[in-house]
Amino acid sequence: MTQRNTVNCLLGMLGTDVHSKGIRTLARILDEAGGIDVHYIGEHNSVEGMVDAIIARNASIVGLSFSSAAYVEYTRQLIEAMKRRDLGHVPVMLGGIIHPDDLDELKAMGVAGIFGAGSRTADIVSFVQRAGLPAEA
C-alpha cells in the first residue's frame, strides 16, 4: 500500500519498442532508492492501456523509455490521452534515445523530465523523488 510521501512511479514502453534493458534497470534502481513504489508494466503498451495503468496504480509520475524514432508522436498521444482523463497533473518523463532537436517540442507538449543517453542515475532518482511526490491534500 502506498504511504503518504511515497512516490508512485509507473514505468513502461509504448508501441513496438523492445529495448527494455535500460528501463528495467531503472525500475530496480528506483525501487532500491527508497520512498518510491515502482510499477513496471513492460513493453508493447498502447496509449490507452498506459493511461488505464496510471489510474489503476494511482501513479504520481510516469516514465517512458524509447529507442525508436516514434517517441515524439507516442508521447504526444499519451499526454493528450492523459489530459482527456483528467491526468494532466501527472508528470511524464522520458528516457532512452532522445534526439536533441526534439527537446523543445517535448518540453512544450508538457514532458517534465528528459533523460537521454549519458544521464546520471542520481539525477533521475532525484527528479523522480521530487517531481513524483504527491501534492499535500
Side-chain angles (χ1 to χ4, degrees):
M1 173 175 257
T2 301
Q3 299 174 6
R4 187 179 177 151
N5 295 331
T6 298
V7 173
N8 222 1
C9 180
L10 179 74
L11 299 175
M13 300 175 73
L14 292 171
T16 59
D17 208 321
V18 295
H19 297 283
S20 62
K21 182 177 181 180
I23 197 167
R24 287 184 286 118
T25 301
L26 180 62
R28 181 184 48 77
I29 290 168
L30 292 174
D31 185 57
E32 292 172 356
I36 303 171
D37 287 338
V38 179
H39 307 275
Y40 174 61
I41 61 170
E43 308 163 355
H44 306 297
N45 293 287
S46 68
V47 168
E48 288 304 322
M50 182 71 76
V51 173
D52 289 344
I54 294 167
I55 294 167
R57 289 162 177 86
N58 194 30
S60 58
I61 189 166
V62 176
L64 302 172
S65 177
F66 293 100
S67 64
S68 70
Y71 61 86
V72 172
E73 186 55 31
Y74 274 125
T75 301
R76 181 183 338 282
Q77 290 174 17
L78 178 66
I79 290 173
E80 289 172 358
M82 288 172 65
K83 288 177 181 176
R84 284 193 302 273
R85 305 271 299 270
D86 295 322
L87 298 170
H89 62 282
V90 178
V92 173
M93 67 175 186
L94 301 182
I97 301 173
I98 309 297
H99 196 279
D101 289 348
D102 296 324
L103 296 179
D104 289 340
E105 182 177 3
L106 292 165
K107 290 175 185 176
M109 71 175 70
V111 175
I114 302 170
F115 301 95
S119 294
R120 291 174 10 115
T121 302
D123 293 339
I124 300 169
V125 171
S126 177
F127 175 82
V128 170
Q129 289 171 328
R130 184 180 67 256
L133 198 60
E136 292 293 322

